[in-house]
Amino acid sequence: MSTAEAATATDPNAGIIQMIGVHKWYGEFHVLRDINLSVTKGERIVLCGPSGSGKSTLIRCINRLEEHQKGQIIVDGVELTGNLKQIEAVRREVGMVFQHFNLFPHLTILENCTLAPIWVRKEPKAQAEATAMKYLERVRIPEQANKYPGQLSGGQQQRVAIARSLCMNPKVMLFDEPTSALDPEMVKEVLDVMIGLAEEGMTMLCVTHEMGFAKSVANRVLFMDRGEIVEQNEPHEFFNNPQSDRTKLFLSQILSH
Amino acid sequence: MTTSAPSPIAPDSATVSRPLVNRLGPLAWMRRNLFSTWYNALLTVLIVWVLAQAIPALFHWLISNSLLAPATSQECRLVDGACWAFIQEKYRLILFGTFPYNQQWRPLFAVVLVIAMLLASCDRRMWNRRLGVIWGVGMTMVAILMWGGVLGLDYVENSLWGGLPLTLLLAVVGLAVAFPLSILLALGRRSRLPIIKSLSVTYIELIRGVPLISLLFMASVMLPLFLPVGMNPDKLLRAQIAFIMFAAAYLAEVIRGGLQAIPRGQYEAADALGLTYWQKTVKIILPQALTIVIPPIVNTFIAFFKDTSLVMIIGIFDLMNASKAALNDAEWRGFYRESYLFIAVIYFVFCFFMSKYSQSLERDLKRGHQH
Ligand SMILES: Nc1ncnc2c1ncn2[C@@H]1O[C@H](COP(=O)(O)OP(=O)(O)OP(=O)(O)O)[C@@H](O)[C@H]1O
Ligand SMILES: [Mg+2]
């Protein structure tokens, strides 16, 4: 706790997420190599790169779904260490949306959205339900509130997953390829919700291959390859004037179809 | 299924006409279902032959040659078929064991109470705190009825208990205690804390490696050796403990199977929302894991319900042993068919109900989340 407090105390402009010299290994395999990243409040970052480059691993380290072995990760002034209390404190402030939605199939949509506010934030049930309905309206599916996830389409499920995260009133939202498990006709409805969030000033870190989204929404695009952040730039420069050969190769592959 | 012209109302399934192909004549039906291949034909003939041998004999013994009316044992021995006078004579011994004869309304009430509570527990709308209160009060009443010693009831020590109430109590108390224990064991076995994990694994493997009979023997013969002098829990309690230990180990493995079937994404989503370990386990993981393993859990429950009969080897008069005791009466020796059939029917009714209930529960919970 003391180091984390010191970090915020000494640098008031420090980002809401700070990764300093982060390394991670899976056994022998070096997945993250010297990651340095600072995200300021309200910033919208898109993370791209070839499959297996470590994008998921990177954002999963931010809410400690994965453990890093070296370096520091500080989220909203709290350093992620083995301390469970600190991990839970970070997770309360960081929402996450998964590729495969991961809704709770035994709970209704409304229950999915109110579970964490009631049990983690200790909100009264009525208040949690009112908040949940507000966000379900935001993602435009209030009429599904009493259905079960299995009865919804993929796009609807992903919008519920976003609403579920928003109900915790997070300071940061992490997205791990939120549209890549969706049928093409459903991608837009999810992206629209994400664009809306961005417009409201949500801090977002988003792994995606939706380059249109990156161009119109991101402040910064990060390119990762083999566990490193190879290049980062604001979107216009990133797409029109890539510096490294690896970025050029990646962009030519991804934009060719 | 049907490609009818578009209608303003969707046709409901009852009004959709069925295809007529399966309306076959009896001969065609038999050819298709009983004699479709040479080995099907052989099986059909074989089964018909076996039935032809067994059914008339059973019919004679059970119905046409049987004696339903009250009779003496001499009269019974002259009858070719079943003589139900034996049951009429001995049913109170079989059902209530050696519980004092003129007090047997007490175990009767206890049985009725336990069955009523079991039935109440079947209703999912009852699954809340109230049910815990009902069981707390109900089991206290059962204890008062069985033991007595208060409210003007004579004290009956539990070595005199027997028959159906004993079987029911062993099973209900045993499974009620073993079930939560088994959940803890299953969670422990998957724990990341090495001590908890190895303790759970050791316990489960040790208990599963030993037959229930030997555990019962150990509990009755060896347990007193380990306990401090003077502490000598009675035989029934020791059997109950052995039973709980055994059931917990088996159920733990069943539940572990359910836990393993839950995709990692469920754990991650719960973690990402900031739920604590216990919130995640109780609210997200267990409800799904237990739903998956309802059939094997009920299977284990049924097996253990019947396995309570093993306590007879350490001299406890459960339903099974009480029926043997009834046969020990020199006058009625030899009526074991009637005796065993009688208790078989009792066991069957309970087990069949459990099985039916699990099917309906499974259906309900599936309908709940429609996959
Ligand atoms: N639990 C694990 N154990 C061992 N290796 C792993 C594990 N999880 C991921 N990896 C490896 O780490 C590397 C990075 O994985 P990661 O999931 O972060 O990639 P990614 O950039 O998200 O790829 P994708 O675009 O396919 O999702 C991959 O090579 C993967 O095989
Ligand atoms: Mg990934």
Side-chain angles (χ1 to χ4, degrees), chain B residues 176-354:
Chain B
V177 178
F179 188 59
L181 222 86
S182 70
I183 291 178
L184 292 178
L185 280 169
L187 291 171
R189 189 162 190 170
R190 287 169 59 83
S191 170
R192 283 198 292 180
L193 306 171
I195 296 178
I196 292 183
K197 185 181 171 125
S198 51
L199 275 179
S200 310
V201 173
T202 313
Y203 176 84
I204 292 170
E205 295 305 334
L206 269 183
I207 299 288
R208 281 204 311 167
V210 183
L212 178 54
I213 292 207
S214 64
L215 208 64
L216 284 168
F217 265 131
M218 282 204 296
S220 91
V221 185
M222 286 172 65
L223 203 61
L225 296 181
F226 302 131
L227 291 175
V229 191
M231 221 183 107
N232 197 15
D234 70 63
K235 194 155 67 172
L236 185 58
L237 182 61
R238 277 180 271 159
Q240 181 76 81
I241 290 172
F243 190 73
I244 288 169
M245 287 169 67
F246 200 70
Y250 268 85
L251 283 170
E253 284 301 278
V254 172
I255 290 167
R256 187 165 71 99
L259 291 174
Q260 272 168 345
I262 305 301
R264 221 176 73 176
Q266 294 290 307
Y267 290 87
E268 290 179 349
D271 284 339
L273 286 167
L275 298 175
T276 62
Y277 173 81
W278 286 108
Q279 289 169 339
K280 172 175 66 178
T281 304
V282 171
K283 297 282 164 191
I284 307 297
I285 305 304
L286 281 177
Q288 297 184 63
L290 294 180
T291 307
I292 297 172
V293 291
I294 287 173
I297 283 181
V298 173
N299 187 36
T300 315
F301 273 26
I302 288 175
F304 275 106
F305 180 67
K306 292 176 297 180
D307 280 354
T308 53
S309 56
L310 290 173
V311 297
M312 84 176 184
I313 62 141
I314 57 171
I316 291 175
F317 283 86
D318 74 313
L319 192 56
M320 183 77 187
N321 208 12
S323 73
K324 282 190 76 172
L327 289 165
N328 277 346
D329 184 341
E331 198 188 329
W332 290 94
R333 193 158 290 162
F335 289 93
Y336 51 87
R337 286 188 192 126
E338 290 84 348
S339 181
Y340 288 142
L341 190 64
F342 179 62
I343 61 163
V345 167
I346 296 177
Y347 278 113
F348 177 80
V349 167
F350 280 97
C351 295
F352 185 71
F353 183 80
M354 278 192 260

Side-chain angles (χ1 to χ4, degrees), chain A residues 60 91 103 105-106 119 148, chain B residues 265-266 268 271 279 283 368-369:
Chain A
R60 288 158 59 86
R91 285 173 176 169
L103 294 178
H106 62 301
W119 291 96
Y148 286 88
Chain B
Q266 294 290 307
E268 290 179 349
D271 284 339
Q279 289 169 339
K283 297 282 164 191
H369 36 111

Side-chain angles (χ1 to χ4, degrees), chain B residues 82-133:
Chain B
C83 181
W84 298 111
F86 169 74
I87 301 297
Q88 287 158 23
E89 175 82 17
K90 296 288 184 190
Y91 75 96
R92 288 183 59 167
L93 178 58
I94 297 175
L95 285 178
F96 302 120
T98 48
F99 205 93
Y101 194 81
N102 58 359
Q103 298 280 313
Q104 284 181 354
W105 60 272
R106 284 162 53 180
L108 177 65
F109 262 123
V111 167
V112 170
L113 208 56
V114 169
I115 292 177
M117 287 190 292
L118 288 173
L119 288 175
S121 313
C122 286
D123 188 346
R124 281 213 300 147
R125 281 166 303 180
M126 298 282 289
W127 291 6
N128 50 38
R129 255 187 216 113
R130 215 172 33 174
L131 196 60
V133 176

Side-chain angles (χ1 to χ4, degrees), chain A residues 16 45 55 84 91 95 98 105 109 114 119 121 130 136 143 150-151 156 164 168 187 203 213 215 218 246:
Chain A
I16 190 160
I45 292 181
K55 308 176 298 288
L84 257 177
R91 285 173 176 169
F98 300 86
I109 299 308
T114 56
W119 291 96
R121 292 251 191 250
L136 287 174
E143 72 283 359
Q151 297 167 295
Q156 290 173 324
R164 177 176 71 177
M168 283 294 279
V187 169
T203 311
F213 175 80
K215 280 176 192 164
R246 286 197 253 171

Side-chain angles (χ1 to χ4, degrees), chain A residues 5-212:
Chain A
E5 274 162 6
T8 40
T10 50
D11 184 2
N13 294 325
I16 190 160
I17 302 171
Q18 282 179 287
M19 302 180 84
I20 305 161
V22 172
H23 290 262
K24 174 171 178 62
W25 288 265
Y26 283 123
E28 290 287 290
F29 182 56
H30 202 167
V31 229
L32 295 182
R33 301 161 188 258
D34 194 28
I35 301 291
N36 289 286
L37 175 66
S38 175
V39 182
T40 55
K41 243 194 173 106
E43 213 181 351
R44 302 178 295 275
I45 292 181
V46 162
L47 197 57
C48 61
S51 179
S53 56
K55 308 176 298 288
S56 298
T57 310
L58 191 154
I59 70 163
R60 288 158 59 86
C61 279
I62 295 171
N63 63 355
R64 193 77 171 188
L65 287 185
E66 302 288 351
E67 198 177 311
H68 61 285
Q69 277 95 36
K70 205 173 148 203
Q72 271 188 307
I73 301 178
I74 300 158
V75 182
D76 195 27
V78 180
E79 178 168 6
L80 284 169
T81 58
N83 184 320
L84 257 177
K85 285 274 164 292
Q86 275 165 252
I87 295 173
E88 277 162 16
V90 166
R91 285 173 176 169
R92 281 197 290 273
E93 307 305 330
V94 177
M96 185 165 212
V97 175
F98 300 86
Q99 183 175 0
H100 297 287
F101 332 134
N102 296 355
L103 294 178
F104 306 128
H106 62 301
L107 301 177
T108 63
I109 299 308
L110 189 63
E111 288 164 344
N112 264 277
C113 293
T114 56
L115 183 90
I118 290 174
W119 291 96
V120 180
R121 292 251 191 250
K122 315 285 181 213
E123 280 178 28
K125 191 168 174 224
Q127 184 192 329
E129 285 181 350
T131 315
M133 286 314 294
K134 185 181 93 186
Y135 284 115
L136 287 174
E137 261 154 49
R138 264 268 300 274
V139 301
R140 293 189 299 279
I141 31 176
E143 72 283 359
Q144 313 283 2
N146 293 314
K147 290 196 181 167
Y148 286 88
Q151 297 167 295
L152 269 56
S153 74
Q156 290 173 324
Q157 288 192 49
Q158 193 60 300
R159 283 184 281 150
V160 172
I162 295 173
R164 177 176 71 177
S165 282
L166 292 177
C167 285
M168 283 294 279
N169 198 14
K171 294 182 175 152
V172 179
M173 287 284 284
L174 308 174
F175 294 84
D176 190 357
E177 306 203 28
T179 56
S180 54
L182 296 177
D183 292 338
E185 73 272 17
M186 293 172 185
V187 169
K188 187 171 176 298
E189 64 189 48
V190 171
L191 287 181
D192 283 347
V193 169
M194 291 169 64
I195 291 168
L197 265 183
E199 281 164 357
E200 284 166 35
M202 175 63 78
T203 311
M204 292 164 72
L205 210 86
C206 191
V207 176
T208 183
H209 293 136
E210 294 293 332
M211 290 305 145

Side-chain angles (χ1 to χ4, degrees), chain B residues 17-38:
Chain B
S17 58
R18 295 259 167 89
L20 293 171
V21 267
N22 57 7
R23 289 214 190 130
L24 298 169
L27 271 179
W29 182 89
M30 277 170 70
R31 183 171 312 140
R32 170 182 287 198
N33 292 300
L34 300 177
F35 299 97
S36 57
T37 58
W38 68 266

